[in-house]
């Protein structure tokens, strides 16, 4: 392992371990985990995303890495359908295979390893990741549910146009894409953030990485794998090994290289994000496995 990867991963592991120890020791009660998660997700995360994008101009954004990543995700998502059929279970497992934890783990890891240049490559992906991937998953799942309802003669099928609009709205009015878009719009005005406002924003943004990683460790205390070990291992291998391998193939074909390629490979190798589990709960399929 090269020195950059090692020096970046050790702080990540240490912070997760500190959170795990705090959770195991009972310093952070299970009832408080939701409050800590809300603090990270609704306060610290949006501040970091807004501040990071608030100085980035549109002409500086390279969408080619994002395109390679999304092409990889779409290929694997529909590949799951080819293997297991077009149904709710395939859609949920496909989402677990492609939807990475780009915010809670990706941002601090990329920030530690590659600094602002790495984040400038990652944040445009984050802004489109939830919008496009979750909208795609929602539409596919609603189609699967509608097909099942028609086959069983149950209920009224919701109009697909309404489904797409609702999914897109929910993906945009969200604590991740919204501050990214707001920060990018602010950057285009050419205004500078007043120092009296920028300093507290900077302090909050700096707190995101350590808090998010410790929260991962605290959450691991409550996680049990049990009888789903084999299936969970298969999903992890698909997400953490197959996805970056397929991305490398597309990158080679399309000529993506350098830091943008490195950041996209790291992003593709991240573990599954929590939204995959939320979808499994919402559609009542593969919940224990995901």
């Amino acid at each position: 392992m090269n020195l950059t990867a090692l020096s970046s991963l050790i702080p990540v592991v240490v912070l997760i371990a500190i959170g795990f120890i705090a959770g195991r020791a009972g310093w952070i009660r299970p009832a408080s985990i939701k409050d800590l998660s809300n603090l990270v997700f609704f306060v610290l995360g949006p501040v970091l995303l807004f501040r990071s994008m608030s100085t980035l101009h549109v002409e500086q954004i390279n969408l080619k890495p994002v395109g390679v990543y999304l092409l990889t995700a779409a290929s694997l998502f529909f590949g799951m359908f080819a293997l297991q059929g077009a149904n709710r279970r395939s859609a949920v497992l496909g989402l677990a295979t492609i939807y990475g934890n780009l915010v809670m783990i990706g941002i601090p890891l990329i920030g530690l390893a590659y600094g602002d240049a790495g984040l400038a490559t990652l944040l445009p992906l984050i802004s489109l990741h939830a919008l496009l991937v979750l909208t795609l998953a929602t539409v596919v799942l609603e189609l699967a549910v509608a097909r099942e309802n028609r086959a069983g003669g149950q209920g009224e099928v919701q109009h697909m146009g309404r489904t797409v609009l609702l999914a897109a709205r929910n993906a945009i009015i969200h604590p991740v894409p919204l501050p990214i878009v707001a920060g990018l719009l602010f950057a285009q005005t050419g205004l500078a953030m007043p120092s009296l406002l920028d300093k507290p924003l900077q302090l909050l943004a700096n707190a995101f990485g350590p808090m998010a990683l410790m929260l991962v460790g605290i959450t691991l205390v409550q996680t049990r794998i049990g009888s789903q070990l084999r299936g969970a291992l298969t999903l992890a291998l698909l997400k953490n090994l197959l996805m970056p391998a397929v991305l490398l193939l597309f990158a080679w074909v399309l000529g993506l290289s350098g830091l943008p390629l490195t950041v996209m490979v790291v992003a593709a190798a991240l573990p599954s994000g929590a939204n995959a589990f939320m979808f499994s709960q919402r559609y009542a399929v593969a919940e224990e496995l995901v």
Side-chain angles (χ1 to χ4, degrees), residues 11 14 59 92 115 141 181 191 206 254:
V14 169
E59 60 271 16
V92 166
L141 279 161
V181 173
L191 299 174
N206 290 343
L254 297 174

Side-chain angles (χ1 to χ4, degrees), residues 47-68:
V47 169
L48 171 65
L49 296 172
F50 174 82
R51 191 171 181 275
S52 299
M53 297 298 287
S54 65
T55 57
L56 184 65
H57 295 280
V58 172
E59 60 271 16
Q60 297 174 297
I61 299 176
N62 180 8
L63 289 179
K64 186 175 181 179
V66 176
V68 171

